[in-house]
Amino acid sequence: MPRHSAPGSAAPGHSPPDSAALSEVDLALVEALQVDPRAPWTRIALAIGIDATTAARRWERLHSAGLAWLTAYTTTPTTTIGYVDLACRPDRLPALTEELCRWPSVFSVERTTGRYQLFLGLTAHDLTALDALVTGRVGELAGVDSTRLAIATKVYREGSGWLVRALAPEQRAALDDTAAQARALVPGRWNDATVATLLEALSVDGRRSCADLARDCGMSESAVRRVLGRMLRNHELDFRCDLANGLAGWPVIATYRLDVPGDKLDRIARALATRPETRLCVAVTGEHNLILTAWLHAPVECGGFEAQLATAAPEARVVDRVVTIRMPKRMGRLLASNGTAVGQVPIVPART
């Protein structure tokens, strides 16, 4: 694993290229918000070694330019997640991409290599709603030739758990203690319309103050704090600080489908989820039982990463591998061709 570096110094293997739009201080700021998304600017600033005003100003610049953003969404204990590979006629690909990006229940859209042109992330209230979404809506779109559905059974890592790794261990530790207070306890389900309104507001900007949220959602500030505290404690809600991966130095997104012996799945998935390149590691049903996505610096790294997978998990067999050509939507954010955020469709789980 590359050495950690303090802001302003280069970390081998993790420094952005010369053309990158994010500096080392910017990356440190992003990581601080990945570790503790709603921490006060004073705590963020102390961790990365700048003053609070500078930290807030830098974040506003990154956010306004679409280079980094912070959103909130419900977690898998409260929703059913599906991953769909979609094959279509080439002439229908642009229209299908545009259509699916508009759907609130399709949280991610990727154009990929291989026999399936699109890789979709879907969210639904339950299995019945997910089935209706895939077969009754996606499957009936003009130009769709076939779909392949995998249902998430256990998420070992997703984007909220991936780190830029621009902070030194002691810098990260200064934030870890406070972030730990919001980690998982007992999952539950929410159905209240007021909570849904609160979630939609947070999905636009996960750092909005409780006072602003209370005003816009028609709640008291104490009620906002109480609901947020409950949802975080029960792991019904997660925050993610994301960034334009290509401009930050990770332009290659590679996704692998693996077949792992059932009695070794949990151990292997836990191990692969800890790799610094791993963005997504989720056990699924279907033709394979593990999906793993990695962010890499260059296409040449794909072979080396797969070789590392074989060494780390010799019992696992890679049954499919694709590279993302373009990602027009990630966790509700609409992305330009360079990966910057240019809009948003709030995530709403599909219902029957």
Side-chain angles (χ1 to χ4, degrees), residues 253-316:
I253 303 174
T255 298
Y256 301 86
R257 275 80 170 177
L258 296 93
D259 191 15
V260 183
D263 60 337
K264 298 178 174 63
L265 177 60
D266 188 69
R267 174 179 60 79
I268 288 175
R270 289 182 184 277
L272 297 181
T274 64
R275 299 193 62 82
E277 304 92 342
T278 300
R279 274 281 295 194
L280 175 70
C281 184
V282 54
V284 297
T285 63
E287 297 178 13
H288 44 269
N289 59 358
L290 191 68
I291 294 178
L292 187 144
T293 295
W295 277 13
L296 305 171
H297 301 293
V300 71
E301 293 185 2
C302 292
F305 180 74
E306 188 171 337
Q308 293 170 19
L309 292 182
T311 300
E315 307 95 332

Side-chain angles (χ1 to χ4, degrees), residues 80-285:
T80 300
I81 300 298
Y83 297 97
V84 169
D85 296 300
L86 185 152
C88 67
R89 296 201 318 260
D91 63 314
R92 286 291 301 165
L93 182 56
L96 283 170
T97 301
E98 184 177 349
E99 173 71 17
L100 290 165
C101 281
R102 290 197 293 262
W103 292 14
S105 52
V106 178
F107 58 82
S108 293
V109 178
E110 301 182 49
R111 290 188 184 177
T112 61
T113 58
R115 61 192 177 103
Y116 294 97
Q117 290 79 33
L118 291 174
F119 177 45
L120 312 174
L122 282 64
T123 177
H125 181 67
D126 52 29
L127 288 172
T128 302
L130 181 62
D131 177 62
L133 176 62
V134 175
T135 61
R137 294 193 63 196
V138 176
E140 293 181 353
L141 291 171
V144 172
D145 290 333
S146 64
T147 60
R148 178 175 65 174
L149 171 64
I151 298 171
T153 58
K154 184 172 183 179
V155 178
Y156 292 88
R157 173 181 279 182
E158 49 91 43
S160 65
W162 180 86
L163 295 176
V164 167
R165 297 180 183 272
L167 294 179
E170 61 273 17
Q171 293 174 299
R172 195 177 301 119
L175 295 160
D176 274 337
D177 287 344
T178 57
Q181 299 172 13
R183 289 176 185 153
L185 292 179
V186 181
R189 283 188 178 270
W190 55 269
N191 295 295
D192 187 88
T194 303
V195 175
T197 302
L198 178 62
L199 285 172
E200 183 172 340
L202 282 170
S203 72
V204 177
D205 181 2
R207 283 192 63 84
R208 295 190 67 189
S209 69
C210 289
D212 285 346
L213 292 169
R215 182 189 65 245
D216 293 347
C217 298
M219 304 168 65
S220 67
E221 189 171 343
S222 60
V224 169
R225 294 183 185 279
R226 186 170 61 252
V227 170
L228 282 180
R230 186 207 75 208
M231 296 188 77
L232 289 170
R233 286 193 302 274
N234 291 346
H235 201 47
E236 300 168 343
L237 174 68
D238 213 343
F239 289 93
R240 176 191 292 195
C241 185
D242 222 328
L243 75 171
N245 54 289
L247 296 175
W250 291 272
V252 178
I253 303 174
T255 298
Y256 301 86
R257 275 80 170 177
L258 296 93
D259 191 15
V260 183
D263 60 337
K264 298 178 174 63
L265 177 60
D266 188 69
R267 174 179 60 79
I268 288 175
R270 289 182 184 277
L272 297 181
T274 64
R275 299 193 62 82
E277 304 92 342
T278 300
R279 274 281 295 194
L280 175 70
C281 184
V282 54
V284 297
T285 63

Side-chain angles (χ1 to χ4, degrees), residues 26-106:
D26 291 334
L27 293 176
L29 174 59
V30 168
E31 183 175 348
L33 291 171
Q34 288 175 330
V35 175
D36 198 349
R38 288 180 60 82
W41 287 122
T42 50
R43 186 181 300 139
I44 295 291
L46 182 63
I48 64 178
I50 60 177
D51 65 81
T53 301
T54 300
R57 186 173 63 247
R58 277 182 172 270
W59 174 250
E60 179 57 32
R61 178 184 68 81
L62 293 174
H63 186 264
S64 297
L67 292 167
W69 55 93
L70 201 151
T71 190
Y73 48 93
T74 54
T75 57
T76 47
T78 59
T79 57
T80 300
I81 300 298
Y83 297 97
V84 169
D85 296 300
L86 185 152
C88 67
R89 296 201 318 260
D91 63 314
R92 286 291 301 165
L93 182 56
L96 283 170
T97 301
E98 184 177 349
E99 173 71 17
L100 290 165
C101 281
R102 290 197 293 262
W103 292 14
S105 52
V106 178

